[in-house]
Amino acid sequence: MKKKRITLKDIAKEFNVSIATVSKALNDSYEISNRTKSMIQEYAKELQYKSNQSPFTYEKQKNTKTIGVIIPNMLNHFFTKVFVGIEKIVTEKGYNLITCISNESRDKEVTAMELLKNSNLDGVILSMAEETQVKKDFTHFQNTINQGVPIIMIDRVTNEIECDKVIVNDEEGAFNAANYFIKTGCQNIAIVSNIHLLSVGKLRLEGYKRALVEANFPIDDNLILKVDEFNDIDTLLKILLDSKKVDAILCLEEDSAISTLKMVLYKGYKVPEDISIIGFTNGVLPRHVTPAITTVSQHSTYLGEAAAKILIDKIENENIETSYTTKVIKTNLIERDSTKRL
Amino acid sequence: MKKKRITLKDIAKEFNVSIATVSKALNDSYEISNRTKSMIQEYAKELQYKSNQSPFTYEKQKNTKTIGVIIPNMLNHFFTKVFVGIEKIVTEKGYNLITCISNESRDKEVTAMELLKNSNLDGVILSMAEETQVKKDFTHFQNTINQGVPIIMIDRVTNEIECDKVIVNDEEGAFNAANYFIKTGCQNIAIVSNIHLLSVGKLRLEGYKRALVEANFPIDDNLILKVDEFNDIDTLLKILLDSKKVDAILCLEEDSAISTLKMVLYKGYKVPEDISIIGFTNGVLPRHVTPAITTVSQHSTYLGEAAAKILIDKIENENIETSYTTKVIKTNLIERDSTKRL
């Protein structure tokens, strides 16, 4: 029989705790009780657990010319476009890229970070998993930074970690979209969010509300649709359209915009004559459906380029003092056929 | 000034050769002359070139529970769906995934393979870059296999490397599509290929020709459009539609199917009454455009799952004798509104 290398997962199983807890214990995190820590550390030592890059011995090599990327998923057009921007700059500057997908799971993100550090990388570009944003547990990022590996966060960020950040002006993007509805005569403006757990989803909802308040429109909670894994967008939309008067719908990302368009047309409404629709994320779909959907463009490729530039600049020009940049990318509204003309 | 680590690229620049040549020289490849090899090896030694994982000293650790993936690009819906299938199985089996994108470049693929081996991975799932298929230089794959790291090739494969493979029955897929045109009364069937340099593109063209030959239709080279970086699909389509009678067009992947539909409609033809269209790759776009495009589905997610299963099985069950599997995934035709009914 082959001797299997013991993994974080094996240890987690042994103690009936999560992989993240094991990782934290081995990282000597303050969040874990001393008793648990010493138990797990002792066990790991005994079974000769070897982290791919043990946090105790991690020594950063400089200029390996490798950059790691962790993104939440690969089917999201926003992230694939961000990735194209990163790729472009990284290639131009002679760096290599190595990528892990967290699939919105914090445990996977923790493992990905370990795997990437294994490649002795110079820095990490990161958009965090939904679960990480919900649990607000950012230890694995802080540890990485403490080990001397710079991180730049994109799109989904937290104030709890000091690092470089590139974000989209989400609040303003949603404000402008809702305002566009108001200016073109819409009065009953609904919003569909399947990302209300994310920082960006919260900011977009705020922007929508601000536009309504500034126009002296009431905020009607029945017009705010929060879609999650426990309910279905089509069902919620049907209930909304059957129960409320709606003449505009703001969708907070691409897929929900497509679903909304299909449902509105299916229910016999004309777009934009009866109901106007605006979506977020300027992928290929909103451009190719009929009618083409007016979209808040987040300039995702440009965002990726900006993040890669800031990170490489940090890697190549070490300063005595540390300063962090937060770059905010403006959005703009691409007018197509799903909204009335101004 | 910091001392920079010397890279393959630096060495390549010094000798005015490609990164691949340097890699081959350091790998002691038979393809490189002894003189060049010793020159490059000496230089590398002198400047203390340290491969992330030097090929001379590479020792595979077993069961690190990490699998590497190299795919040609991230914007292609086929590969993102394959990736989702890989992800699913890999997660189920408790493995981690680390990904590199070759961007269709052989040099990037060589570097990616080095980077991945750095993570002491158990195996690699690979769809090769277009440039690798054109140059027919597979040394980096053979070296990896020789070092004891199993590779499974998906979709784009070569007979020159003995390893596990999962492929799509591309010839049959195109045959069935062309045959469907013939059965619905089409007589002047064109084909649009922007992947004629890839093995899969060649097989699909063969399937198209076989269907025509079996129906006693002539093969007209003017109906075979080969699109590449030196010409533009819209221009070629315009010339085709203006100069030839066409009542069906088979498009060998998703983007060209969308472009073809748009151009045919723009030229005032009705789809499918005047011209029928079939595309390859069952992504979201063909489903959502108007009219929805009839598509050859390659079951890409299933393909990814199959590849991950075969590789993990190989990793976990080492045999005394080595045998290689080639799994062929059947295609099927998803009938939508861009073709006449049978």
Side-chain angles (χ1 to χ4, degrees), chain B residues 170-191 203-215 217 219 247-252 276-280 294-296 331 333 339 342:
Chain B
D170 285 288
E171 198 271 349
E172 193 201 35
F175 174 85
N176 290 340
N179 214 23
Y180 188 93
F181 284 142
I182 294 167
K183 282 188 193 158
T184 53
C186 302
Q187 297 198 305
N188 303 290
I189 304 165
I191 183 167
L203 287 166
R204 289 176 200 170
L205 183 59
E206 277 175 27
Y208 157 86
K209 285 183 178 172
R210 180 162 68 90
L212 265 54
V213 168
E214 288 191 11
F217 282 26
I219 307 277
D247 55 15
I249 305 177
L250 175 59
C251 303
L252 296 196
S276 296
I277 296 173
I278 296 180
F280 265 78
T294 296
T295 302
V296 180
T331 62
L333 197 69
T339 42
L342 266 187

Side-chain angles (χ1 to χ4, degrees), chain B residues 67-337:
Chain B
I67 286 174
V69 173
I70 306 179
I71 51 179
N73 76 69
M74 221 182 184
L75 284 176
N76 180 314
H77 208 84
F78 172 74
F79 288 116
T80 51
K81 284 182 83 177
V82 167
F83 188 85
V84 168
I86 294 173
E87 241 274 332
K88 181 172 167 251
I89 299 302
V90 159
T91 304
E92 271 176 29
K93 305 262 183 186
Y95 281 71
N96 304 308
L97 215 52
I98 193 156
T99 307
C100 287
I101 314 288
S102 68
N103 236 339
E104 307 289 8
S105 140
R106 188 177 178 282
D107 277 354
K108 278 206 173 184
E109 197 173 66
V110 169
T111 315
M113 197 61 103
E114 268 208 49
L115 267 175
L116 290 179
K117 280 190 277 186
N118 213 11
S119 302
N120 275 319
L121 33 70
D122 290 335
V124 178
I125 301 175
L126 164 84
S127 194
M128 68 179 96
E130 180 177 301
E131 198 188 2
T132 307
Q133 282 214 322
V134 173
K135 293 195 175 167
K136 296 186 199 307
D137 180 348
F138 312 110
T139 339
H140 51 314
F141 304 148
Q142 194 57 57
N143 286 336
T144 304
I145 295 168
N146 294 347
Q147 285 161 350
V149 181
I151 285 182
I152 182 161
M153 288 190 182
I154 52 174
D155 193 48
R156 304 178 182 179
V157 301
T158 170
N159 288 330
E160 292 183 35
I161 298 287
E162 278 200 5
C163 66
D164 292 317
K165 289 161 195 169
V166 183
I167 54 177
V168 175
N169 198 335
D170 285 288
E171 198 271 349
E172 193 201 35
F175 174 85
N176 290 340
N179 214 23
Y180 188 93
F181 284 142
I182 294 167
K183 282 188 193 158
T184 53
C186 302
Q187 297 198 305
N188 303 290
I189 304 165
I191 183 167
V192 176
S193 173
N194 52 355
I195 53 167
H196 56 280
L197 296 175
L198 298 178
S199 54
V200 299
K202 286 173 188 153
L203 287 166
R204 289 176 200 170
L205 183 59
E206 277 175 27
Y208 157 86
K209 285 183 178 172
R210 180 162 68 90
L212 265 54
V213 168
E214 288 191 11
N216 290 318
F217 282 26
I219 307 277
D220 180 351
D221 279 343
N222 292 315
L223 292 177
I224 300 172
L225 249 59
K226 290 184 177 171
V227 185
D228 57 37
E229 53 180 318
F230 305 110
N231 49 41
D232 172 62
I233 185 165
D234 286 339
T235 312
L236 289 180
L237 279 168
K238 254 189 225 163
I239 295 171
L240 174 73
L241 294 171
D242 288 342
S243 63
K244 301 285 293 183
K245 193 177 151 39
V246 173
D247 55 15
I249 305 177
L250 175 59
C251 303
L252 296 196
E253 50 70 78
E254 190 172 292
D255 291 340
S256 59
I258 303 292
S259 303
T260 301
L261 175 67
K262 299 260 156 183
M263 179 53 71
V264 165
L265 294 175
Y266 172 79
K267 285 296 232 174
Y269 295 100
K270 282 189 193 139
V271 177
E273 293 82 353
D274 302 327
I275 297 180
S276 296
I277 296 173
I278 296 180
F280 265 78
T281 307
N282 188 30
V284 280
L285 264 178
R287 199 162 65 231
H288 284 302
V289 289
T290 310
I293 300 176
T294 296
T295 302
V296 180
S297 167
Q298 302 145 289
H299 305 292
S300 31
T301 305
Y302 180 81
L303 188 154
E305 292 178 16
K309 277 180 193 163
I310 294 171
L311 181 63
I312 292 176
D313 188 60
K314 180 141 288 179
I315 291 165
E316 296 186 347
N317 301 294
E318 242 172 335
N319 287 312
I320 307 168
E321 50 171 13
T322 314
S323 69
Y324 297 111
T325 314
T326 295
K327 200 180 181 99
V328 182
I329 313 278
K330 273 179 187 286
T331 62
N332 71 311
L333 197 69
I334 299 177
E335 296 174 46
R336 297 207 183 95
D337 307 327

Side-chain angles (χ1 to χ4, degrees), chain A residues 2 4-5 9 61 63-64 66 71 74-75 80 83-84 87 91 94 96-101 103 108 111 115 118-119 258 262 284-285 288-290 315-316, chain B residues 2 5 9 61 63-64 66 71 74-75 80 83-84 87 91 94 96-101 103 108 111 115 118-119 258 262 284-285 288-290 315-316 318:
Chain A
K2 263 176 304 174
K4 275 203 182 176
R5 216 178 111 165
K9 203 174 169 186
Q61 279 180 269
N63 289 89
T64 57
T66 303
I71 51 179
M74 219 181 184
L75 283 177
T80 50
F83 188 84
V84 168
E87 242 273 332
T91 303
N96 304 308
L97 215 52
I98 192 156
T99 308
C100 286
I101 314 289
N103 235 340
K108 277 206 173 183
T111 316
L115 266 175
N118 213 10
S119 302
I258 302 292
K262 298 261 156 181
V284 280
L285 265 178
H288 284 301
V289 290
T290 311
I315 291 165
E316 296 188 346
Chain B
K2 262 177 305 174
R5 216 179 111 163
K9 206 175 165 180
Q61 277 179 273
N63 289 89
T64 56
T66 303
I71 51 179
M74 221 182 184
L75 284 176
T80 51
F83 188 85
V84 168
E87 241 274 332
T91 304
N96 304 308
L97 215 52
I98 193 156
T99 307
C100 287
I101 314 288
N103 236 339
K108 278 206 173 184
T111 315
L115 267 175
N118 213 11
S119 302
I258 303 292
K262 299 260 156 183
V284 280
L285 264 178
H288 284 302
V289 289
T290 310
I315 291 165
E316 296 186 347
E318 242 172 335

Side-chain angles (χ1 to χ4, degrees), chain A residues 228-321:
Chain A
D228 56 37
E229 53 180 319
F230 305 112
N231 51 41
D232 171 63
I233 185 166
D234 286 339
T235 314
L236 289 180
L237 279 168
K238 253 187 225 164
I239 295 171
L240 173 73
L241 294 171
D242 288 343
S243 64
K244 301 287 292 184
K245 193 177 150 38
V246 173
D247 55 14
I249 305 177
L250 175 60
C251 303
L252 297 196
E253 50 69 77
E254 189 173 291
D255 291 341
S256 59
I258 302 292
S259 303
T260 301
L261 176 67
K262 298 261 156 181
M263 179 53 71
V264 165
L265 294 175
Y266 171 79
K267 285 298 233 173
Y269 294 100
K270 282 189 194 139
V271 177
E273 293 81 354
D274 301 329
I275 298 180
S276 296
I277 296 174
I278 296 179
F280 265 78
T281 306
N282 188 30
V284 280
L285 265 178
R287 198 163 63 230
H288 284 301
V289 290
T290 311
I293 301 175
T294 297
T295 303
V296 180
S297 167
Q298 300 145 287
H299 305 292
S300 29
T301 305
Y302 180 80
L303 189 154
E305 291 177 17
K309 278 180 193 163
I310 294 171
L311 181 62
I312 292 176
D313 188 59
K314 180 140 287 176
I315 291 165
E316 296 188 346
N317 302 294
E318 244 171 333
N319 286 312
I320 306 167
E321 52 171 13

